[in-house]
Amino acid sequence: MIKLKTEQLRKSFGKLEVLKGLDIEVKEGEVVVIIGPSGSGKSTFLRCMNLLEKVSAGKVIVDDHDLTDPSQNINKVRENIGMVFQQFNLFPHLSVTDNITLAPKQLLNISNSDSKKLAMKLLESVGMEDKAEAYPNALSGGQKQRVAIARALAMDPDIMLFDEPTSALDPEMVGEVLGAMKKLAQEGMTMVVVTHEMGFAREMADRIVFMDEGNIVEVGTPEQIFNNPQSERTRDFLDKVL
Amino acid sequence: MEIKRKNKVFIGILFLFTLLLNTVLFPADVNAAEPGEKYIIATDVTFAPFEFQDESGEYVGIDVDILTAISEDQGFEFELRPMNFSAGLQALESNQVDGMIAAMSITPEREEAFDFSDPYFDAGPVMAVREDNDEIDGYSDLEGKTVAVKVGTTGAELASELQESYDFEINQFEDSAGMYEDVVSRHSDAVFEDYPVMAYAIQQGLELRFPTEPEEGDSYGFAVNKGENPELTEMFNAGLVNIRENGTYQEITEKYLGDSVESGQQRGFLALVQQNFGNLLSGMGRTLVLTLISFAIALLAGTIIGLFSATPSKALNVIADIYVTILRGIPLIVLAFFMYFTVPQLLGVQITAFTAGVITLSLNTTAYIAEQVRGGIAAVEKGQLEAARSLGLPYGLSMRKVVLPQAIKIMIPSLINQFVITLKDTSILSVIGIVELTQTGRIIIARNYQSGPMWIIVAIMYLVLITLLTKLSNLIERRLVAND
């Protein structure tokens, strides 16, 4: 079953077209990793999938809802799509628990004790239960990103978007975040991940999308992309990063 | 998109609410006097012996006593509204007041705009110089010198007539005390003022002398706006005849101009504070009330306008931009005059000086706070709003729960700064006759001519008030930031 699909997705900033008609289908439980050089439009593509970035043309369809339809309640759809950012974007004025419970409390009307239980459960799943009362400033980068993953899961989404989740981390902290992501993938979460972590891509991806200059150049299994790339540009890129 | 539409409605409602709040807070007080009701009478704040505050804060003087005697004789009530002379003229013209008694000379020009009573006092302008000035013995000695006059007075007219024959500079002042001080402190060489006023001031210890005789006198009259309140001038005229006949009039002029006048002023800093403590304190109180009310309104309105410029809606951005551009581009003093004199003429309503002052200060402060709110919101990382929106929180909720709490912390120091500026700006509202701390100082100086120590006292009071409030705000700021 298709969870998320884009059709001829285009995005321009002023006169500059950064996405040039992209089509992708993500099936339920699938992990799709998007790789490509900087400036290839990977992050913009990802941000279009929950309409954080306004789409210039084309469609984004999530669970049969067309997000580009003006009558579509975008907030309702976003509840079902968790997002993790490169810069974490934790709310600095709220404790770890309150970061996680903000959306459920505001949108689901659940009780204080239920929301606390939910927060603890999510924190345990990323191994952060002992920092429940801490404020974001007191956490390391890796801890922040794990809390951010827990927060993105708070509305119980079916799809998770990861926008270069390890790029702002010190190398020794990359592992803990990738670990949390792997666990999520193994539990069957549908995931779209923009990353430079080729190890993660090779190990966890069901399919890899290679992007360059606003186009999808090649799509394939890790085996196909890493061992037998069809395009010259893919080969060039992999030569540089591997 | 649906969220956007909801936002517009929400903001629209807020806007209407503010308008409503404005009408509730500042009802246009329509007190156009009808016979038997209280008349509002403008007078000068600083023109002893015709009108000035005595130590207990009561308005006294020849004008005040004559008007009181006449009102008792004729059986009407009045409320005195002291303001600068030129402001009084404008207030009368715009029907903000019903009449004006302020040692006002009856001149042909003024008779075009106002209806005057019969003359109640004869006086002409006279020139005065410093006691120790032996250079100036006549008008011809003014060549190349500087002369101080009060805006809109016959003294000023005489000076500009003389200026055609003798080339001298003219310094314009809004009140008598400032004009005298300008001569005493050697900025100006001579001053032109109505004879009785200056004679009284010299008796009170002002170090000036008259090198020439007073000019042929103009007559003072009580004025109403052209065609308005004719019964008031009729009563004034009838009452004037009566109090002249029964000797009250003579008692009053004797009281202020006779030889029995004593200089009751103690000199010295502490004595000054002691004598005027009550007045100064109530002036400071009014400054504080003006500031608090205006700042509270501006905080609410400024936040709304600031949010307007932060929303994605182009229309709201433009509204906020226009508001800030206009209100930041008009000097506070001009806005105060506009609110107090122009708006009532355009709308045909009367508003009190205090209300006009609060509106002026709120409108002005709103523009600055709106900019601070906009800046505060812009200083919150873009990712914060994105993270909130990606969780499914609508725009308004995301702003309220995520962006604004962070923006407010960023804004607090500049808001404290704005509060101090607003407090100091209240002094500008003295021009429309609000007796706040600065105006209180002026009034006291008009009575005792001790501008030197008086301005030091006023400055210290502002300093103490602002320091205390700043310390308090910093305490609150630390509390708020401590939750981080």
Side-chain angles (χ1 to χ4, degrees):
Chain A
M1 183 197 157
I2 306 294
K3 286 299 284 183
L4 186 151
K5 173 163 85 167
T6 66
E7 289 174 5
Q8 281 305 302
L9 183 73
R10 288 177 185 275
K11 170 71 185 174
S12 303
F13 292 109
K15 280 187 180 155
L16 182 73
E17 190 172 47
V18 292
L19 301 180
K20 300 170 181 168
L22 305 186
D23 295 286
I24 193 175
E25 283 184 357
V26 182
K27 293 190 214 54
E28 190 167 8
E30 196 179 20
V31 176
V32 173
V33 174
I34 304 175
I35 61 172
S38 333
S40 58
K42 316 184 287 289
S43 283
T44 307
F45 187 29
L46 190 78
R47 290 159 55 82
C48 284
M49 292 179 193
N50 66 351
L51 241 61
L52 271 191
E53 216 63 77
K54 242 191 191 160
V55 173
S56 304
K59 283 183 177 171
V60 180
I61 294 161
V62 175
D63 285 334
D64 298 331
H65 301 292
D66 180 3
L67 303 201
T68 56
D69 178 353
S71 68
Q72 177 62 47
N73 182 347
I74 186 72
N75 295 323
K76 206 72 209 152
V77 179
R78 279 179 181 154
E79 288 178 16
N80 207 24
I81 310 174
M83 182 150 190
V84 176
F85 300 85
Q86 180 178 353
Q87 297 297 338
F88 327 126
N89 295 344
L90 290 182
F91 308 135
H93 61 299
L94 299 178
S95 70
V96 163
T97 301
D98 290 341
N99 260 276
I100 295 169
T101 58
L102 177 68
K105 268 191 195 163
Q106 295 296 329
L107 301 173
L108 302 179
N109 244 338
I110 64 173
S111 73
N112 253 337
S113 63
D114 282 352
S115 69
K116 275 242 162 66
K117 269 182 226 156
L118 171 69
M120 276 322 279
K121 196 188 93 194
L122 291 169
L123 285 172
E124 277 165 23
S125 76
V126 294
M128 288 291 295
E129 61 275 16
D130 52 332
K131 295 286 186 188
E133 296 313 314
Y135 277 84
N137 287 346
L139 304 180
S140 72
Q143 291 174 325
K144 279 182 195 170
Q145 198 59 301
R146 283 188 281 153
V147 172
I149 293 172
R151 182 179 68 181
L153 291 167
M155 294 301 290
D156 195 20
D158 295 340
I159 306 169
M160 287 283 281
L161 307 178
F162 292 85
D163 186 5
E164 303 199 23
T166 57
S167 297
L169 296 177
D170 291 338
E172 74 270 23
M173 293 171 180
V174 171
E176 59 189 88
V177 172
L178 291 181
M181 289 166 66
K182 275 180 202 167
K183 198 171 153 203
L184 213 48
Q186 281 152 3
E187 287 164 6
M189 177 65 77
T190 309
M191 291 165 62
V192 182
V193 184
V194 171
T195 188
H196 294 288
E197 292 296 327
M198 294 304 147
F200 177 85
R202 192 192 285 268
E203 185 183 349
M204 297 307 299
D206 295 307
R207 275 188 301 153
I208 291 179
V209 174
F210 175 71
M211 278 183 70
D212 193 20
E213 292 177 353
N215 292 305
I216 291 176
V217 177
E218 194 168 349
V219 182
T221 62
E223 169 69 24
Q224 288 167 343
I225 296 286
F226 284 108
N227 300 338
N228 188 20
Q230 299 300 303
S231 151
E232 186 65 32
R233 278 190 282 174
T234 315
R235 256 194 305 270
D236 275 357
F237 173 74
L238 289 173
D239 282 347
K240 278 178 202 144
V241 298
L242 289 178
Chain B
M1 239 180 280
E2 200 194 37
I3 347 134
K4 277 199 188 157
R5 216 176 310 131
K6 261 195 210 155
N7 265 320
K8 275 182 201 160
V9 171
F10 172 65
I11 287 164
I13 288 169
L14 266 179
F15 190 67
L16 283 179
F17 175 74
T18 342
L19 279 182
L20 196 71
L21 200 70
N22 270 324
T23 38
V24 173
L25 281 176
F26 318 118
D29 42 0
V30 184
N31 50 5
E34 282 158 30
E37 284 190 11
K38 246 189 188 176
Y39 291 101
I40 312 288
I41 308 295
T43 189
D44 200 333
V45 272
T46 62
F47 209 61
F50 289 95
E51 46 264 336
F52 60 99
Q53 267 185 330
D54 66 9
E55 257 105 63
S56 59
E58 286 292 304
Y59 264 89
V60 293
I62 296 174
D63 283 348
V64 181
D65 289 11
I66 285 179
L67 187 62
T68 307
I70 289 175
S71 73
E72 279 164 9
D73 183 72
Q74 294 291 311
F76 66 87
E77 281 187 63
F78 70 91
E79 188 189 316
L80 217 51
R81 194 155 295 165
M83 55 186 87
N84 288 336
F85 188 77
S86 57
L89 293 178
Q90 294 179 63
L92 190 57
E93 239 180 339
S94 55
N95 287 322
Q96 291 284 91
V97 296
D98 301 304
M100 178 162 173
I101 187 162
M104 195 196 315
S105 302
I106 304 171
T107 63
E109 291 84 11
R110 285 185 187 148
E111 280 186 306
E112 280 173 23
F114 306 121
D115 290 332
F116 278 96
S117 69
D118 296 335
Y120 66 86
F121 195 91
D122 293 318
V126 68
M127 176 171 76
V129 296
R130 266 191 320 280
E131 246 176 11
D132 57 2
N133 182 325
D134 45 18
E135 283 176 30
I136 299 174
D137 280 317
Y139 296 142
S140 57
D141 297 328
L142 289 174
E143 190 80 35
K145 301 270 195 264
T146 306
V147 166
V149 300
K150 187 161 75 163
V151 178
T153 60
T154 35
E157 263 173 49
L158 173 62
S160 50
E161 273 169 36
L162 290 170
Q163 198 182 25
E164 286 170 19
S165 327
Y166 315 106
D167 190 28
F168 54 81
E169 295 266 321
I170 293 183
N171 276 349
Q172 307 263 7
F173 287 87
E174 282 289 338
D175 63 48
S176 302
M179 178 169 71
Y180 299 155
E181 284 302 322
D182 206 52
V183 178
V184 172
S185 61
R186 296 171 195 268
H187 294 304
S188 294
D189 303 289
V191 48
F192 283 83
E193 172 75 296
D194 290 347
Y195 173 72
V197 177
M198 209 135 52
Y200 174 81
I202 290 172
Q203 274 176 317
Q204 293 288 309
L206 185 69
E207 291 166 350
L208 298 182
R209 67 177 182 90
F210 301 123
T212 54
E213 288 295 307
E215 288 293 318
E216 258 313 289
D218 279 328
S219 297
Y220 292 169
F222 170 80
V224 294
N225 202 5
K226 201 87 192 162
E228 301 280 335
N229 300 310
E231 77 288 354
L232 196 52
T233 38
E234 276 163 31
M235 285 192 287
F236 190 94
N237 290 340
L240 185 61
V241 172
N242 290 345
I243 64 166
R244 274 193 165 131
E245 270 169 12
N246 67 23
T248 314
Y249 181 90
Q250 289 72 15
E251 274 172 35
I252 292 170
T253 50
E254 184 65 19
K255 183 170 152 198
Y256 292 102
L257 296 176
D259 297 333
S260 60
V261 172
E262 270 179 35
S263 168
Q265 307 295 335
Q266 275 178 277
R267 302 264 152 176
F269 206 82
L270 275 180
L272 253 186
V273 177
Q274 220 169 17
Q275 278 170 0
N276 301 298
F277 194 64
N279 287 343
L280 287 169
L281 220 55
S282 74
M284 190 161 89
R286 183 141 318 134
T287 288
L288 194 59
V289 169
L290 262 175
T291 310
L292 290 177
I293 296 179
S294 307
F295 196 77
I297 295 168
L299 204 56
L300 184 69
T303 307
I304 293 168
I305 305 270
L307 284 172
F308 276 18
S309 48
T311 56
S313 155
K314 284 273 179 296
L316 292 180
N317 296 351
V318 169
I319 290 173
D321 195 37
I322 290 172
Y323 182 90
V324 171
T325 306
I326 292 177
L327 269 300
R328 229 171 32 169
I330 300 175
L332 194 58
I333 192 165
V334 176
L335 189 63
F337 284 138
F338 177 80
M339 280 299 152
Y340 192 48
F341 299 122
T342 311
V343 170
Q345 289 182 61
L346 292 177
L347 303 181
V349 291
Q350 283 191 322
I351 55 174
T352 64
F354 188 83
T355 306
V358 167
I359 295 175
T360 302
L361 210 53
S362 316
L363 286 175
N364 176 274
T365 308
T366 295
Y368 288 97
I369 290 184
E371 279 299 278
Q372 280 150 13
V373 169
R374 190 182 62 83
I377 290 171
V380 175
E381 275 175 50
K382 198 165 143 263
Q384 292 291 313
L385 183 61
E386 287 182 351
R389 295 306 305 276
S390 76
L391 288 166
L393 294 169
Y395 177 81
L397 204 55
S398 304
M399 290 299 282
R400 226 170 48 190
K401 292 286 174 185
V402 175
V403 177
L404 283 181
Q406 298 180 57
I408 285 167
K409 269 178 210 171
I410 297 169
M411 285 174 340
I412 286 174
S414 56
L415 284 179
I416 293 174
N417 201 28
Q418 184 58 47
F419 182 78
V420 170
I421 291 171
T422 301
L423 192 147
K424 289 192 289 190
D425 278 352
T426 54
S427 63
I428 292 171
L429 299 177
S430 63
V431 295
I432 55 171
I434 299 178
V435 189
E436 39 63 69
L437 187 49
T438 302
Q439 185 74 339
T440 305
R442 271 198 202 157
I443 290 169
I444 294 168
I445 290 166
R447 178 169 70 233
N448 62 21
Y449 304 105
Q450 298 191 45
S451 66
M454 206 55 228
W455 288 128
I456 295 177
I457 293 170
V458 169
I460 290 173
M461 291 183 76
Y462 273 113
L463 207 58
V464 168
L465 185 61
I466 287 169
T467 309
L468 286 178
L469 288 171
T470 314
K471 287 259 183 290
L472 184 70
S473 323
N474 288 342
L475 212 71
I476 297 170
E477 183 189 3
R478 234 168 294 151
R479 274 263 175 93
L480 281 172
V481 176
N483 311 339
D484 251 353

